Amino acid sequence: QESQVSPHFGLIYSISEFTTLKGSIGTGVIAPSIAELFTETRAAGFQVIPNPGLEAENSWSAELGVSTTIGSHVLVNAAVYQERYFDFINPSLGFQDSLVIIFENVQDARIRGIETNISTGWLRNRLNASVSYVFVDPRDLQSNALLTYRPQHILTTSLTIKPGIFELGADFRSEERRVGKECRSRWSPY
């Protein structure tokens, strides 16, 4: 039997009535899922094959952010973060008589990025809108290659209207990711 302690520490400091600084640091352990270890299936034209030799991933992370209110209707958030992984579990594309996906451990990986968000509420918060942008730099530090199947740019927009007891909303998300050397973008309502 194996046990792990994964401490996380956070600090929030109010600079003023309208602005707050936030920071956190921590460690973590994530065991491979049953699906990653043992599932064999077909999905989207690919054969997914099991990898019972997967190791648990270990990580540490740090984040620093700021949140500020502009007037009485606008909230702005921004944060930078870095996560370092050892034995990171990542999908890999291969060929064994056909295209296959197998989950493998990446010995040394880093995911860092910047998150920004602007949200606003009007008409006593019956009309709300937000725009978020995330830049992600996911890297295999041994090869300096981008980690597969991880978006690098994520843009999300949201609009919500609350007439009476009902709520009507629309959300859209755009992702740009690299698959090999090819760059793919897509918009999707979700």
Side-chain angles (χ1 to χ4, degrees):
Q1 182 174 347
E2 191 174 317
S3 63
Q4 292 279 343
V5 175
S6 298
H8 288 263
F9 301 98
L11 181 65
I12 299 173
Y13 178 71
S14 294
I15 296 175
S16 70
E17 181 182 348
F18 305 106
T19 304
T20 303
L21 285 178
K22 302 173 187 178
S24 66
I25 190 164
T27 64
V29 176
I30 300 174
S33 71
I34 298 295
E36 293 164 338
L37 290 168
F38 302 113
T39 300
E40 186 166 349
T41 188
R42 282 202 162 282
F46 296 96
Q47 182 178 353
V48 179
I49 58 176
N51 184 354
L54 280 175
E55 299 287 331
E57 60 185 36
N58 291 280
S59 66
W60 66 263
S61 63
E63 181 173 353
L64 183 61
V66 63
S67 178
T68 191
T69 303
I70 302 171
S72 60
H73 298 287
V74 179
L75 176 64
V76 179
N77 293 296
V80 295
Y81 64 91
Q82 178 158 310
E83 301 164 343
R84 186 74 181 266
Y85 293 90
F86 304 95
D87 291 323
F88 183 67
I89 298 171
N90 196 57
S92 177
L93 186 63
F95 192 82
Q96 295 178 0
D97 297 329
S98 67
L99 288 174
V100 296
I101 295 175
I102 186 169
F103 291 90
E104 298 179 322
N105 288 110
V106 174
Q107 297 302 312
D108 193 5
R110 179 197 67 220
I111 299 175
R112 64 180 173 188
I114 299 169
E115 297 180 14
T116 58
N117 174 278
I118 298 173
S119 55
T120 184
W122 299 89
L123 305 173
R124 295 186 197 151
N125 282 330
R126 291 186 178 173
L127 175 63
N128 296 287
S130 69
V131 176
S132 300
Y133 171 74
V134 180
F135 169 76
V136 183
D137 181 28
R139 294 225 173 249
D140 177 336
L141 294 178
Q142 289 184 320
S143 66
N144 200 35
L146 290 172
L147 293 170
T148 53
Y149 308 105
R150 310 262 172 208
Q152 284 191 278
H153 302 278
I154 305 166
L155 178 66
T156 306
T157 60
S158 176
L159 179 64
T160 306
I161 301 170
K162 297 177 188 174
I165 62 170
F166 298 101
E167 182 175 311
L168 177 65
D171 299 315
F172 290 94
R173 177 179 170 121
S174 173
E175 292 183 356
E176 179 182 283
R177 68 179 73 210
R178 296 210 176 271
V179 179
K181 294 185 179 186
E182 182 181 334
C183 182
R184 295 183 183 168
S185 294
R186 71 176 184 165
W187 271 97
S188 63
Y190 68 102

